[in-house]
mmCIF file of all heavy atoms in Angstrom:
data_model
loop_
_atom_site.group_PDB
_atom_site.id
_atom_site.type_symbol
_atom_site.label_atom_id
_atom_site.label_comp_id
_atom_site.label_asym_id
_atom_site.label_seq_id
_atom_site.Cartn_x
_atom_site.Cartn_y
_atom_site.Cartn_z
ATOM 1 N N THR A 6 44.920 -14.736 -39.050
ATOM 2 C CA THR A 6 44.310 -14.597 -40.438
ATOM 3 C C THR A 6 42.846 -15.147 -40.347
ATOM 4 O O THR A 6 42.561 -16.202 -39.756
ATOM 5 C CB THR A 6 45.117 -15.265 -41.450
ATOM 6 O OG1 THR A 6 45.055 -16.735 -41.267
ATOM 7 C CG2 THR A 6 46.623 -14.927 -41.530
ATOM 8 N N GLU A 8 39.616 -15.735 -43.031
ATOM 9 C CA GLU A 8 39.062 -15.626 -44.356
ATOM 10 C C GLU A 8 37.866 -16.441 -44.627
ATOM 11 O O GLU A 8 37.716 -17.416 -44.015
ATOM 12 C CB GLU A 8 40.224 -15.940 -45.433
ATOM 13 C CG GLU A 8 40.696 -17.361 -45.208
ATOM 14 C CD GLU A 8 41.975 -17.625 -46.139
ATOM 15 O OE1 GLU A 8 41.910 -17.384 -47.317
ATOM 16 O OE2 GLU A 8 43.132 -17.889 -45.557
ATOM 17 N N ALA A 11 38.271 -21.289 -48.134
ATOM 18 C CA ALA A 11 39.028 -22.510 -47.701
ATOM 19 C C ALA A 11 40.414 -22.186 -47.054
ATOM 20 O O ALA A 11 41.110 -21.262 -47.550
ATOM 21 C CB ALA A 11 39.066 -23.447 -48.746
ATOM 22 N N ILE A 12 40.784 -22.798 -45.975
ATOM 23 C CA ILE A 12 42.013 -22.572 -45.362
ATOM 24 C C ILE A 12 43.169 -23.018 -46.253
ATOM 25 O O ILE A 12 44.073 -22.461 -46.505
ATOM 26 C CB ILE A 12 42.198 -23.344 -43.961
ATOM 27 C CG1 ILE A 12 41.181 -22.730 -43.014
ATOM 28 C CG2 ILE A 12 43.578 -23.480 -43.456
ATOM 29 C CD1 ILE A 12 41.047 -23.323 -41.687
ATOM 30 N N GLU A 13 42.838 -24.364 -46.899
ATOM 31 C CA GLU A 13 43.820 -24.896 -47.780
ATOM 32 C C GLU A 13 43.922 -23.990 -49.012
ATOM 33 O O GLU A 13 43.047 -23.696 -49.753
ATOM 34 C CB GLU A 13 43.288 -26.230 -48.289
ATOM 35 C CG GLU A 13 43.228 -27.281 -47.214
ATOM 36 C CD GLU A 13 44.616 -27.660 -46.488
ATOM 37 O OE1 GLU A 13 45.527 -27.783 -47.385
ATOM 38 O OE2 GLU A 13 44.524 -27.833 -45.344
ATOM 39 N N GLY A 14 45.190 -23.593 -49.247
ATOM 40 C CA GLY A 14 45.516 -22.772 -50.393
ATOM 41 C C GLY A 14 45.082 -21.176 -50.150
ATOM 42 O O GLY A 14 45.173 -20.383 -51.081
ATOM 43 N N GLY A 15 44.694 -20.886 -49.049
ATOM 44 C CA GLY A 15 44.296 -19.510 -48.724
ATOM 45 C C GLY A 15 45.390 -18.598 -48.232
ATOM 46 O O GLY A 15 46.672 -19.040 -48.277
ATOM 47 N N VAL A 16 45.099 -17.455 -47.835
ATOM 48 C CA VAL A 16 46.011 -16.454 -47.489
ATOM 49 C C VAL A 16 46.813 -16.776 -46.337
ATOM 50 O O VAL A 16 47.965 -16.493 -46.092
ATOM 51 C CB VAL A 16 45.480 -14.925 -47.376
ATOM 52 C CG1 VAL A 16 44.563 -14.988 -46.250
ATOM 53 C CG2 VAL A 16 46.474 -13.964 -47.431
ATOM 54 N N GLY A 17 46.105 -17.410 -45.286
ATOM 55 C CA GLY A 17 46.802 -17.964 -44.008
ATOM 56 C C GLY A 17 47.888 -18.833 -44.409
ATOM 57 O O GLY A 17 49.022 -18.691 -43.779
ATOM 58 N N GLU A 18 47.703 -19.801 -45.277
ATOM 59 C CA GLU A 18 48.658 -20.755 -45.761
ATOM 60 C C GLU A 18 49.869 -20.123 -46.427
ATOM 61 O O GLU A 18 51.070 -20.332 -46.157
ATOM 62 C CB GLU A 18 48.094 -21.818 -46.618
ATOM 63 C CG GLU A 18 48.894 -23.082 -46.786
ATOM 64 C CD GLU A 18 48.168 -24.114 -47.595
ATOM 65 O OE1 GLU A 18 48.193 -24.014 -48.898
ATOM 66 O OE2 GLU A 18 47.582 -24.924 -47.134
ATOM 67 N N ALA A 19 49.565 -19.033 -47.199
ATOM 68 C CA ALA A 19 50.640 -18.259 -47.965
ATOM 69 C C ALA A 19 51.462 -17.518 -46.928
ATOM 70 O O ALA A 19 52.692 -17.511 -46.996
ATOM 71 C CB ALA A 19 50.056 -17.232 -48.781
ATOM 72 N N ILE A 20 50.776 -16.944 -45.793
ATOM 73 C CA ILE A 20 51.606 -16.241 -44.774
ATOM 74 C C ILE A 20 52.450 -17.148 -44.025
ATOM 75 O O ILE A 20 53.582 -16.946 -43.721
ATOM 76 C CB ILE A 20 50.616 -15.460 -43.920
ATOM 77 C CG1 ILE A 20 49.990 -14.229 -44.653
ATOM 78 C CG2 ILE A 20 51.310 -15.035 -42.564
ATOM 79 C CD1 ILE A 20 48.979 -13.660 -43.921
ATOM 80 N N LEU A 21 52.042 -18.394 -43.643
ATOM 81 C CA LEU A 21 52.779 -19.423 -43.005
ATOM 82 C C LEU A 21 54.023 -19.814 -43.853
ATOM 83 O O LEU A 21 55.141 -19.931 -43.267
ATOM 84 C CB LEU A 21 52.015 -20.600 -42.748
ATOM 85 C CG LEU A 21 51.004 -20.429 -41.600
ATOM 86 C CD1 LEU A 21 50.034 -21.783 -41.649
ATOM 87 C CD2 LEU A 21 51.625 -20.404 -40.241
ATOM 88 N N ARG A 22 53.852 -19.806 -45.266
ATOM 89 C CA ARG A 22 54.948 -20.183 -46.010
ATOM 90 C C ARG A 22 55.996 -19.050 -46.028
ATOM 91 O O ARG A 22 57.260 -19.468 -46.009
ATOM 92 C CB ARG A 22 54.490 -20.416 -47.513
ATOM 93 C CG ARG A 22 54.070 -21.833 -47.779
ATOM 94 C CD ARG A 22 54.010 -22.086 -49.269
ATOM 95 N NE ARG A 22 53.255 -21.073 -50.021
ATOM 96 C CZ ARG A 22 51.917 -21.014 -50.199
ATOM 97 N NH1 ARG A 22 51.165 -21.880 -49.744
ATOM 98 N NH2 ARG A 22 51.499 -19.908 -50.907
ATOM 99 N N VAL A 23 55.595 -17.831 -46.098
ATOM 100 C CA VAL A 23 56.541 -16.696 -46.064
ATOM 101 C C VAL A 23 57.309 -16.727 -44.692
ATOM 102 O O VAL A 23 58.479 -16.374 -44.658
ATOM 103 C CB VAL A 23 55.783 -15.404 -46.247
ATOM 104 C CG1 VAL A 23 56.702 -14.211 -46.074
ATOM 105 C CG2 VAL A 23 55.316 -15.281 -47.824
ATOM 106 N N LEU A 24 56.460 -16.800 -43.559
ATOM 107 C CA LEU A 24 57.188 -16.880 -42.389
ATOM 108 C C LEU A 24 58.267 -17.969 -42.159
ATOM 109 O O LEU A 24 59.257 -17.691 -41.581
ATOM 110 C CB LEU A 24 56.113 -16.961 -41.119
ATOM 111 C CG LEU A 24 55.200 -15.585 -40.973
ATOM 112 C CD1 LEU A 24 54.114 -15.820 -39.957
ATOM 113 C CD2 LEU A 24 56.186 -14.441 -40.717
ATOM 114 N N VAL A 35 50.983 -18.181 -35.249
ATOM 115 C CA VAL A 35 49.921 -17.922 -36.251
ATOM 116 C C VAL A 35 48.775 -18.666 -36.181
ATOM 117 O O VAL A 35 48.761 -19.819 -36.069
ATOM 118 C CB VAL A 35 50.597 -18.175 -37.700
ATOM 119 C CG1 VAL A 35 49.543 -17.696 -38.794
ATOM 120 C CG2 VAL A 35 51.876 -17.450 -38.002
ATOM 121 N N THR A 37 45.201 -19.353 -38.023
ATOM 122 C CA THR A 37 44.640 -19.323 -39.220
ATOM 123 C C THR A 37 43.095 -19.713 -39.063
ATOM 124 O O THR A 37 42.876 -20.913 -38.554
ATOM 125 C CB THR A 37 45.227 -20.078 -40.417
ATOM 126 O OG1 THR A 37 45.307 -21.479 -40.004
ATOM 127 C CG2 THR A 37 46.695 -19.515 -40.682
#
Side-chain angles (χ1 to χ4, degrees):
T6 67
E8 53 192 308
I12 294 174
E13 297 294 322
V16 71
E18 193 173 83
I20 289 171
L21 285 168
R22 274 196 313 273
V23 169
L24 290 175
V35 181
T37 58

